[in-house]
Structures are given as structure tokens and as C-alpha cells.
Amino acid sequence: MQILRPDNLKEEPLILGIESSCDETAAAVIRGRRLLSDEIASSANIQALYGGVVPEIASRAHTDAVDLVVDRALKTAGVKKEQLDAVAVTYGAGLLGALLVGLSFAKGLAYGLHIPFIGVNHIRGHLSAAYLEDETLRPPFMTLLASGGHTAVIYTKSFSEFEVLGGTLDDAAGEAFDKVARVLGLPYPGGPHIEALAREGKPVVHMPKMLKGEGGYNFSYSGLKTAVINYCHTMEQRGEAWSKADVAASFQSAALDILVQKTVEGALEKGVTTVTAGGGVVANGYLREKLTEACMAHGLKLVLPVKKHCTDNAAMIAAEGLIRYEAGDFSPLSLNAAASIPLR
Ligand code: KG4
Ligand code: ZN
């Protein structure tokens, strides 16, 4: 199918971003790198009752919310849809039914307005959140990506070239937080609850090493998760008093210290001077503090997206839409949703 391209690329295009890959329906408008609106509706409260995301509930919630959220994003931005220069939307990775709601809506809008359509890789969106934080940010830089589905240290060579240095060999960091939260009897999503509980505890419970191989970038969360489960069971069986807060603090520091260490190592190895981060786990206050300290200690500039732009949002999709617009890299309207896609 033919790809619609504008005759002239604008300096500061007005881009609508839409995100619906999981349980958040979000829409945002940017002009260049300036954020004009940033709206979100979530079915997380309902999903929490089930202890995780139920795909069918997510799809229905997106269908109910998508036009309202987009409408609100345009109104808050003070923009009429006819003024938009492009529509960017997540087409993967994520839940197929959920993705299709945002994708179909965005295609219809772009087709109706006769403007370019940009299908965005959700992970690339997380990487691009940092561009909104610092208007001067340009590759190369080292990025820590830590979400519910991915955890990796990524060398961003240019706006469209990436090298994954390494990352988790099993669970993603967010997934590990969610699983450990369940063991500790905390609600879904577990990350923020573990963070809150950890503030009341001390990292005194022994946790296993996570690194796989010497000096590499790969690590594993499965041993850490098993260690938490075994510790809780053993203490219960012995009838000994134990502190959930200490377990939360011990797990949190073990799970996150490795990310800080590997990200800084990556930056030093590649000789870049800037570090960025993205993904839901980067909303964690402990991680933000440790990464800030480590970057400062090594003379690295750190560009951290605000917490709202770490967890799923549409501003990051609009930001990645801008990068693609500037490269003239548009998508055909035949683009389908994809449950999983590589970085490139
Ligand atoms: O990026 P995201 O919103 O969705 C995905 O693309 O996966 O990440 C969601 C993940 C969940 O696993 C959630 O528990 C985790 O991010 N998360 C956190 C925190 N806030 C969200 N993990 C640790 N600490 C937090 N404060
Ligand atoms: Zn995400």
C-alpha cells in the first residue's frame, strides 16, 4: 500500500501520539519537542481485581476510552484535528486486541485527514521519552530500558541505530517486581507497592548474584525471584518473625543496582557522555537516585524522563513519531498490529 508523505517536512510539526498496547489508553499532542497535552485513562483499577491484565477487559476499556482521550488531548492542546501534521500510534509490541483499538483509530484519523501515519514500536517510544525532557538531546547515548516486558542496556548510536549490549535472560525487571509483589501479598502492578514497602525496610536479607558470565551485560532475575519465595516459605515454616519490608528493600536493591552498574559500564565502554532511561521501572525513586549518583560520580550527563513518561504514555509515542517524521520515515495504512517486534 502507498505511503502518504507530505510535500514538505515542517520544522516543528504538530503530532498526535496514541498508545493502547496494554491497560492505558493515552493520547498526547506535541509541537516539535514541546508537549502541548498528555492525557491518559487506565483500566488498571479493574485489572488489579484480577491480579494482572486481562486482555479482553483491556480491549473493551480502550474501545470505550479512545475517542474521548484523543478529543481531550486535542482540546487541552488547543488544536483542531485539521491542524495536525501526522498521527503516530503504537503498533506493537503488546496485546493484539488492545493494540488494534488504537491502531485502527489512528489509521482512520490519518486517512480521513489525509496526513502521514506513523506506526511506532512501543520500545522505541520508551527510548524516545528522554527527547521530551531535554530539547538538545541527540545520540549517541546509553539507555537503560526497564519495563514490564523488556530490560536491556541499549547503545543508541543515531536516531535510528541501536545496539543492545545485553539485558535480562528471563523475566523483565517490571515482571520480577510484579511476581515478587504477588509473593508478598501486594496488589498489581507490584512495582510502586514494593517501592513504598521498601522505604520502611533495610536491605539485610541475602540475595543471590544476578550476573551471568564475567564482565558481560547479561543477567537473570529468576534466581532472585526464587530466593525471595524460598526465604518467605522458610521463615513461615520455621514460624520465625520476618519483615516483608526488609525483603522488599533487599529485592529492590538487588534488582536495580545491577541495572545502574551495567548502564554506567556500557556508557564508559562506548565512550558516550550521556545516559538516558525509560520504561515503567524507571519511575522507581530508588533507581532514579542510584542512577543519578552513579552518573554524577562518573561525569556522565543523565537525562531522566519525568515519572509519568516512564510508565506507558502517549507523549513518548508522539516523541518517537517526531523522530520518524524528521527522518521522513512514514508507515503504510496496511500496517498490522504485532504482539512482539524487535527494536528495529
Ligand atoms: O513501561 P511500563 O508502564 O509497561 C510496559 O511497557 O511493560 O512498565 C510497567 C512495569 C510494571 O511491571 C510495573 O510494576 C513497573 O513497570 N513499575 C515499577 C514502578 N512503577 C511501575 N517498578 C518498580 N518501581 C516502580 N515505582
Ligand atoms: Zn511500556
Side-chain angles (χ1 to χ4, degrees), residues 1 4 17 20 33 43 55 58 69 72 88 104 144 162 181 190 202 209 213 220 231 242 256 316 321 338:
M1 187 181 246
L4 183 65
S20 72
R33 288 200 195 180
S43 62
V69 173
R72 210 164 59 194
S104 311
L144 168 61
F162 307 90
K202 292 195 179 68
K209 275 221 170 78
S220 152
Y231 177 83
W242 60 286
L256 301 180
M316 69 182 196

Side-chain angles (χ1 to χ4, degrees), residues 33-166:
R33 288 200 195 180
R34 250 176 321 120
L35 188 60
L36 303 185
S37 66
D38 192 7
E39 301 293 332
I40 194 157
S42 175
S43 62
N45 289 351
I46 307 169
Q47 310 286 3
L49 300 173
Y50 295 88
V53 178
V54 181
E56 188 53 33
I57 293 178
S59 310
R60 272 188 259 160
H62 288 308
T63 309
D64 288 343
V66 69
D67 54 345
L68 295 170
V69 173
V70 168
D71 204 41
R72 210 164 59 194
L74 291 169
K75 280 208 177 87
T76 309
V79 163
K80 289 201 175 18
K81 59 181 186 304
E82 291 75 18
Q83 292 173 269
L84 292 172
D85 294 306
V87 181
V89 63
T90 307
Y91 78 95
L95 304 168
L96 278 181
L99 287 164
L100 280 169
V101 178
L103 185 61
S104 311
F105 190 92
K107 282 182 187 177
L109 196 60
Y111 183 76
L113 294 168
H114 207 65
I115 55 175
F117 162 73
I118 304 166
V120 169
N121 177 334
H122 182 82
I123 296 306
R124 294 271 293 268
H126 276 304
L127 299 182
S128 286
Y131 291 125
L132 295 175
E133 212 50 49
D134 178 349
E135 289 212 10
T136 65
L137 179 64
R138 297 265 177 288
F141 48 76
M142 196 57 59
T143 306
L144 168 61
L145 168 72
S147 70
H150 295 81
T151 300
V153 176
I154 298 168
Y155 174 34
T156 299
K157 294 183 196 175
S158 74
F159 285 110
S160 59
E161 287 173 294
F162 307 90
E163 181 185 334
V164 178
L165 299 190

Side-chain angles (χ1 to χ4, degrees), residues 24 122 126 147-149 174-175 177-178 189-192 195 279-281 283-285 310-312:
E24 258 92 33
H122 182 82
H126 276 304
S147 70
E175 207 177 342
F177 269 82
D178 294 341
E195 181 182 356
V281 179
N284 183 286
C310 292
T311 47
D312 287 350

Side-chain angles (χ1 to χ4, degrees), residues 183 226-239 242:
V183 174
T226 310
V228 171
I229 295 171
N230 287 346
Y231 177 83
C232 299
H233 286 175
T234 308
M235 298 310 268
E236 299 271 329
Q237 273 167 3
R238 286 192 199 149
W242 60 286

